[in-house]
Amino acid sequence: DSGVTQTPKHLITATGQRVTLRCSPRSGDLSVYWYQQSLDQGLQFLIHYYNGEERAKGNILERFSAQQFPDLHSELNLSSLELGDSALYFCASSVVAGPNEKLFFGSGTQLSVL
Amino acid sequence: AQTVTQSQPEMSVQEAETVTLSCTYDTSESDYYLFWYKQPPSRQMILVIRQEAYKQQNATENRFSVNFQKAAKSFSLKISDSQLGDAAMYFCAYRSAMNAGNMLTFGGGTRLMVKP
């Protein structure tokens, strides 16, 4: 168990809908990363938050947004869902944001858009 | 932008034997970190081993070791005495030491099968 909790584990929804994925980092970790794993795109970085502030954006669609709350948990909001958004969404956390910091990954949220 | 390439979509090894997974990367940076992650059927990403680019010595973690060739931009993973529990997807990843976001760039993965 990495200590990073993601909910829900599975989510099935329809095209055009909006969903929220939740991530609780390890206790004390200030840094949260979101990644998307899909069959055609592989593992891609979406966004990074550190202590409530956005630090970097990757290949995140405009339909997607995220935030990190004062208690350090993070949410990834996906709207106007399309079939191609079906993927495994990972959250990872670390104490700080340094490159040598070990990342701890959650078990992911499997999103299926029908 | 950095890219990471894993040229072997699938590999197979006999239990107790040794297998090497290949990874190459492209970067113009001199300071970075390289990682191998394991993703078993449980889906969780587990760090196997990491290498700092400024270190010439290859990293080792028990049965796992790397062959880091900085000039060739190659970072292979050797698994010795393979066990059934090693069966998983393995991802090579790059992380810049200078990028503020310090995100990981992953390769496409190699599926390792271990035969009893």
Side-chain angles (χ1 to χ4, degrees):
Chain A
D1 184 12
S2 67
V4 178
T5 303
Q6 289 189 249
T7 56
K9 291 192 184 305
H10 302 275
L11 194 51
I12 302 174
T13 188
T15 54
Q17 295 298 305
R18 172 189 170 93
V19 297
T20 297
L21 312 184
R22 182 186 171 102
C23 170
S24 295
R26 291 187 324 150
S27 177
D29 283 3
L30 301 176
S31 207
V32 171
Y33 300 79
W34 286 96
Y35 288 85
Q36 178 196 59
Q37 184 177 24
S38 63
L39 287 175
D40 54 347
Q41 301 282 348
L43 269 159
Q44 288 201 310
F45 166 71
L46 294 178
I47 199 163
H48 171 211
Y49 277 86
Y50 177 74
N51 202 20
E53 292 187 5
E54 182 185 304
R55 290 291 295 269
K57 265 186 176 180
N59 297 320
I60 187 166
L61 300 171
E62 286 190 8
R63 300 183 286 108
F64 295 2
S65 65
Q67 54 184 323
Q68 186 179 27
F69 294 86
D71 66 352
L72 300 177
H73 92 271
S74 178
E75 293 181 357
L76 179 67
N77 300 296
L78 316 176
S79 61
S80 302
L81 285 168
E82 302 175 359
L83 296 177
D85 297 327
S86 296
L88 183 58
Y89 291 84
F90 280 110
C91 161
S93 74
S94 62
V95 176
V96 290
N100 199 29
E101 284 291 319
K102 182 176 180 179
L103 288 186
F104 294 85
F105 282 81
S107 297
T109 292
Q110 181 68 58
L111 173 66
S112 298
V113 182
L114 305 178
Chain B
Q2 295 82 21
T3 58
V4 179
T5 302
Q6 293 178 249
S7 59
Q8 306 153 316
E10 273 191 9
M11 291 284 286
S12 180
V13 64
Q14 205 72 33
E15 195 176 6
E17 297 294 310
T18 296
V19 64
T20 298
L21 308 185
S22 301
C23 172
T24 58
Y25 58 94
D26 187 24
T27 184
S28 58
E29 298 176 336
S30 59
D31 196 10
Y32 50 86
Y33 298 82
L34 297 166
F35 305 84
W36 278 98
Y37 279 87
K38 172 184 178 182
Q39 187 179 37
S42 67
R43 307 180 320 190
Q44 188 158 25
M45 298 291 286
I46 301 166
L47 178 64
V48 175
I49 198 166
R50 65 182 169 188
Q51 174 81 42
E52 293 89 340
Y54 62 84
K55 288 187 178 180
Q56 291 187 339
Q57 187 173 4
N58 289 323
T60 299
E61 288 286 343
N62 300 316
R63 297 182 296 108
F64 299 88
S65 61
V66 298
N67 183 4
F68 173 48
Q69 302 288 330
K70 190 172 184 179
K73 296 180 183 175
S74 170
F75 182 61
S76 61
L77 174 70
K78 185 172 83 171
I79 307 174
S80 304
D81 186 24
S82 296
Q83 300 175 0
L84 295 177
D86 295 334
M89 283 290 292
Y90 286 82
F91 293 93
C92 178
Y94 172 101
R95 199 175 192 191
S96 169
M98 296 178 284
N99 186 300
N102 297 125
M103 72 288 288
L104 289 165
T105 300
F106 288 92
T110 297
R111 181 174 301 280
L112 178 66
M113 294 174 286
V114 181
K115 297 178 181 177

